[in-house]
Amino acid sequence: MSRKPKKGYFVRGQFVAEGSELDLELKRELKGTDAASKTDLKRESAELQALGEALLTLRAGLFDKLDLGDKLKDAIEEAKRITNFEGKRRQMQFIGKLMRGLDAATLDTVRSALDEQNRGPAQETAVLHDAERWRDRLIADDDALGGWIETHPGTDAQQLRALIRQARKDIKAGPPGEAPRQGKAYREVFQLVRAQLSVHGTDDHAAEAAAQSREEDA
């Protein structure tokens, strides 16, 4: 009487009998892979929904340039109008679902637009701090003006020089023992410097080096 063939399958040329130790081990591995895949999908879904929520804060100039499709754009605009908590939550879930339909290139442009918006406030803060620092140096130090003009040739040197002179006069004119007087010229030096930094950036190492060189040569 012939033996009944075992039920099973082949893996890389090897027969694996159903119920065998190897069969159970392979099934455990497969189950782990499925669980990992589900975890990855869940994490990706959460990330895309968070990206969709961030789009609600994107300013119009950047948002309008994105190729999101009318359905997703309408969903985002609708989410902005919803004030009910549960309604908002459901709308964001819907946006997350639509976000999963975007290709990788479009998602990259979304991330780039959000990064660009986030860089704006930091850059503006850096410009303000540098403008304050340069204003104080220009008013306090004669050599600083040469370094500034050298690296910011677009500056109206005659105007800046006149404002610095007036700002110094205003400070000296203040009552003794009180805080230095900060008049109109003081504020206008700041505005002029800030305008130049906004155009050319805040990397002024060259200007500082030029000013320091003048001090050493004096």
Side-chain angles (χ1 to χ4, degrees):
M1 184 176 178
S2 60
R3 294 178 59 185
K4 187 176 180 180
K6 292 183 177 180
K7 292 183 179 181
Y9 49 92
F10 285 89
V11 176
R12 292 187 289 274
Q14 179 182 356
F15 180 78
V16 180
E18 286 188 4
S20 67
E21 190 63 35
L22 181 56
D23 174 45
L24 296 175
E25 183 179 345
L26 289 171
K27 286 179 179 177
R28 282 195 296 269
E29 290 179 0
L30 183 61
K31 184 177 180 181
T33 301
D34 290 343
S37 297
K38 288 179 181 178
T39 300
D40 290 341
L41 288 172
K42 188 175 181 180
R43 182 172 60 250
E44 181 183 356
S45 177
E47 289 174 355
L48 290 175
Q49 185 166 328
L51 199 61
E53 290 177 4
L55 279 173
L56 270 67
T57 66
L58 192 63
R59 65 176 183 266
L62 293 172
F63 182 80
D64 293 340
K65 295 177 182 178
L66 297 175
D67 185 19
L68 303 177
D70 292 340
K71 192 171 184 178
L72 178 52
K73 283 191 173 184
D74 290 345
I76 290 171
E77 292 301 326
E78 179 63 23
K80 292 178 181 179
R81 291 190 289 268
I82 297 175
T83 56
N84 176 267
F85 176 82
E86 181 60 22
K88 189 92 162 185
R89 185 185 69 82
R90 290 179 179 275
Q91 185 68 8
M92 293 316 305
Q93 287 180 334
F94 176 59
I95 288 173
K97 181 180 179 180
L98 294 177
M99 291 289 293
R100 291 194 289 274
L102 299 179
D103 57 38
T106 302
L107 289 173
D108 284 343
T109 61
V110 169
R111 295 186 181 97
S112 296
L114 290 167
D115 287 343
E116 182 178 343
Q117 175 165 278
N118 292 334
R119 282 196 303 270
Q123 289 175 337
E124 178 62 20
T125 299
V127 167
L128 290 174
H129 288 167
D130 269 12
E132 290 172 351
R133 181 169 58 87
W134 268 108
R135 173 202 58 203
D136 294 342
R137 286 190 59 198
L138 288 165
I139 292 173
D141 183 3
D142 289 334
D143 292 320
L145 178 60
W148 173 267
I149 297 298
E150 199 170 301
T151 52
H152 298 82
T155 304
D156 186 332
Q158 185 175 354
Q159 179 191 16
L160 180 57
R161 192 175 287 109
L163 289 172
I164 291 172
R165 279 199 303 266
Q166 185 59 48
R168 289 172 179 173
K169 288 180 182 178
D170 292 342
I171 290 173
K172 289 180 180 179
E178 293 187 8
R181 181 182 174 188
Q182 299 175 354
K184 181 180 178 182
Y186 181 89
R187 295 190 296 273
E188 289 184 354
V189 170
F190 172 80
Q191 294 296 341
L192 190 152
V193 168
R194 178 186 175 187
Q196 285 293 315
L197 290 175
S198 296
V199 173
H200 299 291
T202 61
D203 187 6
D204 293 299
H205 299 299
E208 293 180 9
Q212 185 174 356
S213 177
R214 285 180 174 78
E215 292 173 4
E216 292 173 352
D217 292 341

